Structures are given as C-alpha cells and as structure tokens.
Amino acid sequence: MFCGECGAKLKKNARFCGECGAKVSEASEKQEEKPTKVVHKTEKKPMSTSKKVLIIVVLLLIVGGIIGYNVMASKLGPEGVAKSYIEALKTNNAGEIYESLGLDGDTTFASKEMFQSIFENDENNLSNITNYTISDVIYSDGNLAATVQFKVTRKDSSEEETVNVNVVKKSDKKFLIFDEWEVTKDSVSALGVDLVENYQVRVPKNAKVTINDIELEQKYLNADYSDEEEDVYVIPQIFEMTATIKTTLENGLEITDEEEISSYDVAYTADVSLENLSEDTRNILKEQMTNDINKMYENIIAKKNWDAVKDSYNYEGADLKDLQEEYNSLYERIVENATNTLTKFNVTDLTVSRVRLNDDGQLEVTAKFDYDYTISYESNDQTQTKEDDSSNTTTITYDYKDNSYKIIDISGTVKYFSRY
C-alpha cells in the first residue's frame, strides 16, 4: 500500500505515513484490500505458409482473369479486329488478310491464291504505311456493325489519309462469353480489290470456258438464263481483277480475252472476232485456208470435175451443195471455157482479216492472200507461158467435225488469169 499524499510505500497496518506523516485514509486501505485482476492474453496461432500461398494464387487468378478477359474482349472487339487487319496490310500479309475476310460459300474464284496474286500486284495496297492510329469507331445497325476509322501515313508523304475498316458482330460468342467481330467483305476495298457477286459468263452453246486456267464447271451453268444458242454461267463470287478468259467452241475455235472483271460490269460475253482469237488458232486457220485453196486449184489444174473430187470433201452429215456450186463454176471458167491454161497456182502468203459465226453456228473466215501462177496459151501458133503474181480476198465457210475444219463453201475464188 502507498501513501495517498507522497506515494511512499506504507508499512503494514500503519496509520500514518512514515515519510510525510499524513494519515493513511480508508480509501488507501480498501485499495490495498481490492484484489488485482489478472488478464491473461491469448496468443494467436501464426498463418501457415500453404494457406498464404493459396490466398496469393487465388488473388492472382482473379486479377489475371480480369486482365485476360479485358485483353480477349479487346482483341475480338471492333478496334482489335480492325487493328489486326490494318497491321496485316502494313506487313503485306496477304494470307492473314484473306483469312480475316471470313469468305464462305463457293470460293473457287475467290480463293486465297487468287487474292494473294491480286494483292501483291495492286499498287494501292497499304504495305507502305509508316504509321496509323484509330481516329473513330462508328457503330450502326443496333451496335451489330461498326466502321473503324484509321488515320494512316504512307512513306514519302506527310499527309494523313483516312482508311475505313467495316466490321460486324458474329452471331456466336467466342468461348461462350466473348463478343466476336469480323471484317466484312466490303473492307477488301481498302486494298483496291472488291468482290463481284453473281458474275455472268455468256458463251456459244456447249463451249468450254476457263478463267485464269480454272474451268467453269456445269454447276455454274444457269438453265434459266441459257437458251438454244447461248450458255450462261453464273459465278457466286469472284474478285475484281484482270482475268484471262478462254472459250473453246464446238468448232474448235479458241477465243482468248483479257477481261476487266468489276462490279460495274457483271457480265462477260464471248465475242467471236479476230482480235479475240488465240495465236495458235490464227495459225491453224491460216494453214487450213492455204491448204484448201491450193488443193482446190491443184484439182482444177488436173482437170478433175466435181464427181472426181467430192469424196475428198465429204464427211458424215456434210452439206456440200454450196461448195459444189462454186467448184463447178471455177471448173467451167478455168478448164472448159478458158483461153488460157492454168499450169501452176500457189498461195505464197495469207492473212486472216475476219472471222464470224453464221446463223448455223458455222465458222466464216475471210482472208487476203498473195499467190503466184503460171499460164500457157497459144499465140502465133506457138505455146507461150507467163508467170505472174497477184492477190485476192476470199471467204471460206467451215464446219468442225472429228477435231478438224471441213470446208463447206468458198467465195471470192480467182477465175481469171491475165496473159498481159
């Protein structure tokens, strides 16, 4: 017990403080008598290392999940998809660009190989981009579609230009939770390349057609558009491009066109004209006409009438009445009624100047040819000869049978040979 005045320790049962003499109060006595309450603190058990690790892992998974979700949502969203598309353009990655288009259906004439060839040769592609930034995202169609606008700068140019990439939201979600967007087909126009839908190819009946060496199969043949004289093929989708279209007719004629396929003109018609003939076809016709003209004059010089030569012209289903009429006229004029005798005739050069199909689907070929000839005649009771050359224009009509051209008519034959 302690003194209430000076705080000195008091002796047991003392009435007065031995230090200051103050009387010890009853309160001090009661305070001494009051038992001191002892508080025992409970020691907390430390957390185990495994529990700490588990909590950290759970927290990391939650944070990582949130970050991963945001990253994936951004990547699959309009800006992420459009940015990946522009980056593919910048790196000239034609394969990745093609895949991003998500083309479906028949892609025979909208294949990755065709796209890559067009893209690499397109001067308007964006492979020369030095910098790009997203300037705006414009949503439409109830937020199901969007146009992502980019400001891009090209090499050797300080001016910015705007490139739009159109994207659309897919109906299905990625991994069941993410909205997924894709570049629309019309964004191919950012490359200067477009898709043409339902492109028509019109050719003579039963012709075979190839576009860039890919044959048009019967599945493309449209019966509703075709008729007795013309077959019409419809291609579901094809890239805008300069395509080589080859048409081989039933008469063996091969037409080759370099055609500009575009959305402004969604149909091509095979035109049987000299300009569209392949070089091989021109050479075949040149050789055929040269041989037919020379052969006819050989027979005339040999004084063979129609009955003697008709079998050499005949074939199954042949209609030779027009050829017979012209041959008889030539025979009568040169052999029977001529004052001169033709002893030699030879075509030295021939140039095809026109081709066309007549109403019966037969090939009419017009050509100018140069020729040498020799004639003999009687003058002053002596046989005289003369050699000369000249030129003429003729038209021969051909039918095509058994993989060869069959002459069925000829006009513009040479019937007069001057001695002067």
Side-chain angles (χ1 to χ4, degrees):
M1 184 174 66
F2 297 91
C3 176
E5 293 294 331
C6 68
K9 187 174 182 180
L10 300 176
K11 291 181 180 181
K12 187 176 182 181
N13 299 321
R15 294 296 180 181
F16 298 93
C17 176
E19 293 293 329
C20 67
K23 186 177 179 179
V24 177
S25 66
E26 293 180 1
S28 298
E29 292 177 356
K30 290 180 180 179
Q31 182 179 2
E32 177 66 24
E33 294 172 358
K34 186 178 179 181
T36 303
K37 185 178 179 180
V38 180
V39 179
H40 299 281
K41 292 184 178 181
T42 304
E43 293 183 3
K44 292 184 179 180
K45 188 177 180 180
M47 185 182 297
S48 67
T49 302
S50 60
K51 187 177 287 188
K52 291 179 180 178
V53 171
L54 179 60
I55 293 173
I56 293 173
V57 169
V58 171
L59 290 175
L60 289 176
L61 287 176
I62 293 173
V63 174
I66 294 173
I67 295 174
Y69 178 87
N70 291 332
V71 170
M72 184 63 72
S74 176
K75 183 177 181 180
L76 298 176
E79 294 186 26
V81 170
K83 186 176 180 180
S84 296
Y85 181 70
I86 290 291
E87 187 63 30
L89 296 180
K90 181 181 177 183
T91 57
N92 210 26
N93 192 331
E96 185 176 337
I97 298 168
Y98 179 84
E99 293 298 334
S100 71
L101 299 176
L103 300 181
D104 52 13
D106 189 321
T107 58
T108 303
F109 295 95
S111 66
K112 181 187 292 186
E113 292 74 21
M114 279 190 172
F115 178 81
Q116 189 159 355
S117 175
I118 297 168
F119 178 73
E120 289 176 352
N121 292 296
D122 179 24
E123 296 179 354
N124 296 317
N125 71 51
L126 303 181
S127 60
N128 61 349
I129 289 179
T130 57
N131 187 41
Y132 64 88
T133 57
I134 295 177
S135 59
D136 199 3
V137 180
I138 303 171
Y139 289 90
S140 59
D141 195 19
N143 290 335
L144 296 177
T147 298
V148 183
Q149 294 184 342
F150 289 85
K151 292 295 184 182
V152 304
T153 306
R154 296 176 183 265
K155 293 177 182 178
D156 303 325
S157 176
S158 59
E159 296 183 2
E160 286 187 332
E161 63 179 274
T162 300
V163 173
N164 293 332
V165 178
N166 298 320
V167 294
V168 64
K169 185 186 289 186
K170 289 186 175 182
S171 57
D172 298 330
K173 289 183 178 291
K174 188 80 169 181
F175 305 126
L176 302 179
I177 58 174
F178 296 105
D179 288 333
E180 187 176 8
W181 295 67
E182 64 181 356
V183 177
T184 60
K185 295 178 183 179
D186 57 4
S187 282
V188 188
S189 59
L191 319 173
V193 182
D194 278 316
L195 272 174
V196 180
E197 296 183 346
N198 298 321
Y199 187 76
Q200 295 183 16
V201 177
R202 299 176 175 273
V203 297
K205 201 70 178 177
N206 299 323
K208 292 182 179 180
V209 189
T210 63
I211 299 179
N212 288 349
D213 297 326
I214 300 175
E215 184 173 349
L216 274 180
E217 300 178 11
Q218 288 297 304
K219 66 180 180 180
Y220 299 115
L221 186 62
N222 189 302
D224 294 334
Y225 295 165
S226 303
D227 54 34
E228 294 181 355
E229 297 181 356
E230 187 178 61
D231 284 334
V232 180
Y233 295 86
V234 179
I235 303 172
Q237 54 186 358
I238 185 171
F239 286 124
E240 277 196 349
M241 59 180 162
T242 302
T244 301
I245 302 180
K246 292 183 180 180
T247 306
T248 304
L249 310 187
E250 277 192 309
N251 61 16
L253 194 69
E254 185 179 274
I255 302 169
T256 302
D257 267 331
E258 295 296 321
E259 181 70 9
E260 293 291 339
I261 297 176
S262 75
S263 55
Y264 297 104
D265 186 5
V266 294
Y268 161 79
T269 301
D271 181 23
V272 182
S273 64
L274 182 62
E275 292 75 17
N276 297 335
L277 293 184
S278 67
E279 185 176 353
D280 288 343
T281 301
R282 294 186 189 189
N283 290 334
I284 289 172
L285 291 177
K286 177 179 179 179
E287 182 178 359
Q288 183 72 46
M289 293 187 76
T290 300
N291 291 339
D292 286 335
I293 295 171
N294 282 336
K295 178 183 177 182
M296 182 169 290
Y297 281 93
E298 280 181 19
N299 291 331
I300 293 295
I301 291 171
K303 298 183 179 180
K304 295 181 179 179
N305 61 18
W306 175 252
D307 289 335
V309 302
K310 64 181 181 181
D311 288 344
S312 64
Y313 294 108
N314 202 13
Y315 60 92
E316 184 178 355
D319 182 2
L320 301 178
K321 62 179 182 297
D322 292 332
L323 181 62
Q324 177 181 356
E325 181 178 346
E326 183 64 23
Y327 188 90
N328 285 337
S329 175
L330 189 64
Y331 184 86
E332 178 181 0
R333 181 67 180 85
I334 295 178
V335 176
E336 295 180 343
N337 298 324
T339 57
N340 305 320
T341 301
L342 182 65
T343 59
K344 178 185 175 183
F345 184 98
N346 182 57
V347 175
T348 57
D349 189 32
L350 182 143
T351 302
V352 177
S353 57
R354 180 176 179 268
V355 295
R356 65 177 292 271
L357 292 179
N358 62 22
D359 294 339
D360 295 324
Q362 297 158 337
L363 184 64
E364 293 182 359
V365 187
T366 300
K368 179 179 180 180
F369 62 94
D370 299 326
Y371 61 93
D372 296 333
Y373 68 92
T374 302
I375 57 172
S376 63
Y377 56 94
E378 297 295 325
S379 177
N380 299 323
D381 297 328
Q382 291 184 350
T383 301
Q384 305 290 331
T385 61
K386 179 183 178 182
E387 297 179 356
D388 206 347
D389 59 77
S390 188
S391 61
N392 193 51
T393 298
T394 186
T395 298
I396 299 179
T397 304
Y398 287 106
D399 196 3
Y400 192 76
K401 293 291 183 180
D402 302 325
N403 297 320
S404 63
Y405 291 100
K406 308 291 186 181
I407 181 173
I408 57 175
D409 192 16
I410 185 172
S411 61
T413 54
V414 183
K415 296 177 180 176
Y416 175 76
F417 299 92
S418 174
R419 68 174 69 173
Y420 304 105

